[in-house]
Amino acid sequence: MNNSDDTISINLVRLWRTFSHARKKQFIALILLMVLCSFSEILVIGSVVPFLALIANPNSNFMGSIAASALHVISATNIQDIRIVASIFFALSVLLAAIFRTILAWATTYFSFDLGADLGQRIYRAILNQPYSLHINRSSSKVIDSITNQVNGIVYGTTLPLLHLLSATFLGLFIFGALILVDPTITLISFIGFCVIYLCAALLTKNSLKRNSLFCAYESHRVLQSLQEGMGGIREIIIDGTQNIHAATHSEIDLNLRRAQASTLFISLAPRYPVEAMAIIVMIGVALTLSLGNSNAGELIPKLAAMALGAQRLLPLLQQTFSSWSSLQGAQHSVAEALDLLDLPSEASRLQSIGNISFKRSINIERLAFRYAIDQPLVLKNINLEIIKGSRVGLIGVTGSGKSTFLDLIMGLLEPTSGVINIDGEEKINLSNSRQWQRHIAHVPQNIFLLDRSIAENIAMSDSGSQIDYIRLNRVIRQASLEDYINSLPDKFDTCVGERGIRLSGGQRQRIGIARALYKGADLIILDEATSALDSETERAVIAELDRIDNDVTILMVSHRPETLKSCNFIYEIKNGCLKEVKQI
Ligand SMILES: Nc1ncnc2c1ncn2[C@@H]1O[C@H](COP(=O)(O)OP(=O)(O)OP(=O)(O)O)[C@@H](O)[C@H]1O
């Protein structure tokens, strides 16, 4: 049972460490605001007894000497004046408390959501900056789940409940103190009674909340995964007529998730009703006891009213404390997972050891071997190759022979299991300097990554955020044989390509990819079956344009078609993990 409390405290400490200096200051300001708010509440409860006493009887004992001298100072001596002043004072104290509570609610909410925005942004940045080798083992639905649901878990399941819990504790203690002054015995008995109910509820529900927390963290990822799979494979789903199967899988997971969420929410709300019933019973008991022992209504009514007002203020706070605690319990697994992502090493630490990499002569690959995991066979074994700057190199091999893996290694996306890749025989490429090396490279894969934006923005992606160079854009559009197609569109290169380029044919997407590589102005262009979707004539035109580009640009090309590689200076084949030159294909 202590484990989940430990998890909460560990998560809170971890969360605090993620706060920026400004956020820490804001948090401390919030605590001060809570204290102010609590004082204003005391003022309300403290003034209700004298107020009602004065209304009932202006000469009442409840009007202490301080109040009497205050009234004297403002020359309120007759009964009417005293009543008016007391009413105004009481109304002002109620108003002040309401103002403080509104400000506190505003500050708490904005603080929590701003923090959520901070964390979401930092988690996404941390994930984007992870080495490629980690990305290939991570599911994208898990990442989306972390940035949306798990960050929401931090906002709704930790920050907001924690702040509500703190403010409820402060206010509760102050109100409790004020009620003790009004009637210590009744206050203590009823307070202990309420707390016992909430403690029993906490003990009874703790395990369920823990289970729900685990369940929600797991199922929210599965819901996203099922949606992504459904949307990603919509063409096949329609053709196979498997809509019902996918909808049923999704609805089962979704129902499980929502049931767990409902259970957590219900647990957080449930104790309210028995506690409220008990409060009314206590009030009846108090009224009865006081009226049996003391028949003076002038003193009895203000006391009862103060107790009723205190209970009306205190009970929601106790309920808030409990529901905040149960929200905290219910979200801890998601929160722990989100915080784990914040602990990932950041780009800054990766870039610390970077120097400038220049590429003037060659890429030298020596005794290169690679396997994806320790328990998997070597995909590449003892590869030696020199790629001279400005050469056109073709790469062939049967499917699954390791061509894309080899390109990923050259691009510094993967690190060799053994052996080295040197630039100009000097700079060894590794994860800490790969970012510098990648600035030299433009990569055109078979499946082009496209944003749901205009053709121009998709081509000039390396310039995002700054102005597009339209002269260069027009040149690369022509080189990639896209001119006729773009001119046929009403909005020309401002035409939106749709999600993942859905409004384009495979060949058009590939040509946008090639245009993007040319626009980047890289000195190493890597084409991984980048022309496979083009008809022979368009492919020939694109390859001829590639041949014409600067002699300083090195082109590394993978293709299954001999025709595509005709213009290469060297062609190599990967077979059984080894590389050998092919003179004729
Ligand atoms: N992320 C991965 N984890 C484990 N093994 C992988 C991973 N990616 C690829 N492989 C394996 O590595 C081998 C080489 O794959 P690779 O994609 O490099 O081949 P390829 O020659 O480019 O194939 P194709 O011509 O079909 O694109 C294959 O056996 C493949 O199953």
Side-chain angles (χ1 to χ4, degrees):
M1 235 165 58
N2 282 335
N3 286 349
S4 57
D5 284 339
D6 287 352
T7 315
I8 294 176
S9 45
I10 290 168
N11 283 348
L12 289 179
V13 172
R14 289 178 71 193
L15 189 62
W16 175 256
R17 290 203 188 117
T18 68
F19 283 19
S20 63
H21 197 58
R23 288 267 174 260
K24 283 183 180 165
K25 276 191 190 163
Q26 286 171 353
F27 186 82
I28 291 164
L30 269 176
I31 303 285
L32 293 177
L33 193 59
M34 286 173 197
V35 176
L36 269 179
C37 206
S38 309
F39 274 117
S40 67
E41 283 296 324
I42 287 287
L43 211 60
V44 175
I45 295 177
S47 56
V48 70
V49 177
F51 165 73
L52 290 174
L54 280 167
I55 295 292
N57 174 14
N59 300 316
S60 151
N61 293 341
F62 282 105
M63 198 175 81
S65 58
I66 298 175
S69 25
L71 291 170
H72 183 70
V73 168
I74 55 167
S75 320
T77 45
N78 67 48
I79 293 176
Q80 295 306 336
D81 284 352
I82 290 172
R83 281 181 173 152
I84 290 169
V85 170
S87 305
I88 291 173
F89 183 78
F90 182 54
L92 282 179
S93 62
V94 171
L95 209 63
L96 190 72
I99 290 170
F100 273 126
R101 277 201 156 192
T102 312
I103 295 174
L104 183 62
W106 172 84
T108 305
T109 311
Y110 275 85
F111 175 84
S112 302
F113 282 84
D114 283 356
L115 184 71
D118 273 4
L119 297 179
Q121 180 256 101
R122 281 170 57 188
I123 290 176
Y124 189 39
R125 189 181 291 267
I127 289 172
L128 287 179
N129 280 305
Q130 292 316 296
Y132 179 69
S133 52
L134 290 185
H135 286 283
I136 54 181
N137 294 319
R138 195 194 299 275
S139 101
S140 63
S141 52
K142 191 92 189 120
V143 172
I144 297 171
D145 185 44
S146 306
I147 294 162
T148 52
N149 297 334
Q150 291 179 356
V151 171
N152 274 347
I154 293 185
V155 174
Y156 291 109
T158 300
T159 324
L160 269 178
L162 176 72
L163 291 171
H164 287 158
L165 192 106
L166 285 175
S167 72
T169 309
F170 279 115
L171 282 169
L173 285 176
F174 274 67
I175 293 173
F176 176 70
L179 290 176
I180 285 275
L181 293 179
V182 175
D183 194 319
T185 321
I186 296 166
T187 304
L188 267 178
I189 290 173
S190 38
F191 185 74
I192 290 170
F194 299 148
C195 286
V196 166
I197 294 184
Y198 277 114
L199 275 176
C200 289
L203 287 173
L204 287 173
T205 57
K206 201 167 181 177
N207 285 336
S208 304
L209 287 169
K210 207 171 146 188
R211 244 191 336 269
N212 290 344
S213 164
L214 253 172
F215 205 71
C216 287
Y218 177 65
E219 293 295 319
S220 77
H221 156 229
R222 293 216 313 147
V223 166
L224 266 174
Q225 191 178 34
S226 82
L227 290 175
Q228 272 194 321
E229 284 171 358
M231 292 300 99
I234 190 67
R235 195 198 296 246
E236 286 70 21
I237 289 175
I238 292 173
I239 291 168
D240 298 343
T242 51
Q243 290 93 335
N244 287 343
I245 299 173
H246 282 269
T249 312
H250 172 260
S251 81
E252 189 192 325
I253 306 167
D254 198 45
L255 181 68
N256 288 342
L257 172 67
R258 291 189 197 278
R259 281 275 165 89
Q261 289 170 334
S263 161
T264 302
L265 188 63
F266 172 71
I267 289 172
S268 75
L269 299 175
R272 183 182 153 187
Y273 304 105
V275 169
E276 275 179 4
M278 184 183 155
I280 293 171
I281 293 167
V282 168
M283 290 308 297
I284 296 169
V286 171
L288 188 69
T289 317
L290 290 178
S291 64
L292 289 178
N294 180 358
S295 55
N296 182 354
E299 289 193 10
L300 176 64
I301 289 172
K303 230 178 188 187
L304 273 177
M307 296 301 295
L309 183 67
Q312 186 258 337
R313 293 288 223 230
L314 195 58
L315 286 183
L317 293 177
L318 281 172
Q319 172 60 33
Q320 187 175 312
T321 308
F322 178 78
S323 73
S324 300
W325 171 83
S326 41
S327 300
L328 273 167
Q329 293 279 354
Q332 288 318 301
H333 274 91
S334 300
V335 171
E337 284 184 20
L339 290 170
D340 286 346
L341 294 175
L342 277 173
D343 287 344
L344 292 170
S346 69
E347 170 83 340
S349 61
R350 272 211 313 132
L351 293 183
Q352 269 168 9
S353 54
I354 283 179
N356 250 344
I357 293 185
S358 70
F359 176 35
K360 292 202 173 78
R361 297 190 301 276
S362 60
I363 303 169
N364 305 84
I365 299 161
E366 291 163 20
R367 301 179 312 282
L368 177 92
F370 180 79
R371 58 160 56 98
Y372 276 96
I374 194 98
D375 55 351
Q376 287 181 14
L378 284 170
V379 176
L380 301 170
K381 307 165 195 164
N382 195 28
I383 289 185
N384 295 288
L385 176 68
E386 182 176 41
I387 301 171
I388 306 290
K389 187 165 188 193
S391 60
R392 284 17 181 184
V393 176
L395 201 59
I396 57 170
V398 295
T399 177
S401 56
K403 302 180 293 294
S404 301
T405 307
F406 184 52
L407 297 183
D408 286 346
L409 285 157
I410 291 178
M411 289 187 281
L413 289 172
L414 297 173
E415 262 196 323
T417 306
S418 63
V420 288
I421 299 176
N422 281 319
I423 309 304
D424 290 349
E426 289 164 9
E427 193 79 48
K428 180 182 160 192
I429 301 301
N430 52 44
L431 285 183
S432 61
N433 63 9
S434 59
R435 188 64 214 100
Q436 288 288 313
W437 171 229
Q438 283 151 6
R439 295 204 178 101
H440 290 271
I441 304 170
H443 175 228
V444 192
Q446 195 172 5
N447 298 313
I448 305 296
F449 154 65
L450 288 171
L451 302 171
D452 189 1
R453 301 203 193 126
S454 69
I455 293 176
E457 283 172 291
N458 270 293
I459 293 174
M461 213 180 250
S462 51
D463 265 356
S464 62
S466 57
Q467 284 291 321
I468 292 176
D469 178 345
Y470 285 97
I471 295 173
R472 197 195 306 186
L473 180 72
N474 281 312
R475 193 186 68 228
V476 300
I477 283 174
R478 186 185 47 71
Q479 287 175 317
S481 296
L482 272 169
E483 217 170 17
D484 290 348
Y485 165 66
I486 288 178
N487 284 336
S488 71
L489 299 168
D491 292 329
K492 307 286 187 266
F493 49 53
D494 289 326
T495 307
C496 197
V497 302
E499 200 178 31
R500 291 183 311 243
I502 195 127
R503 288 183 214 132
L504 303 177
S505 75
Q508 286 157 354
R509 271 179 244 162
Q510 285 197 333
R511 278 178 286 161
I512 288 183
I514 291 167
R516 181 191 293 163
L518 296 173
Y519 184 94
K520 187 175 175 184
D523 45 15
L524 172 61
I525 298 179
I526 294 183
L527 302 152
D528 190 356
E529 294 180 45
T531 53
S532 59
L534 304 186
D535 61 82
S536 315
E537 200 181 323
T538 314
E539 186 186 36
R540 228 175 288 128
V542 171
I543 298 288
E545 282 296 338
L546 286 174
D547 270 348
R548 272 195 280 276
I549 60 174
D550 199 337
N551 270 344
D552 242 18
V553 176
T554 311
I555 299 181
L556 194 48
M557 212 185 269
V558 169
S559 179
H560 287 294
R561 294 187 201 164
E563 183 76 8
T564 315
L565 304 178
K566 251 167 103 176
S567 60
C568 290
N569 312 117
F570 307 97
I571 298 174
Y572 298 94
E573 181 183 12
I574 298 185
K575 199 173 179 182
N576 301 325
C578 300
L579 192 77
K580 71 169 187 349
E581 194 176 344
V582 181
K583 296 290 179 197
Q584 190 107 44
I585 53 168

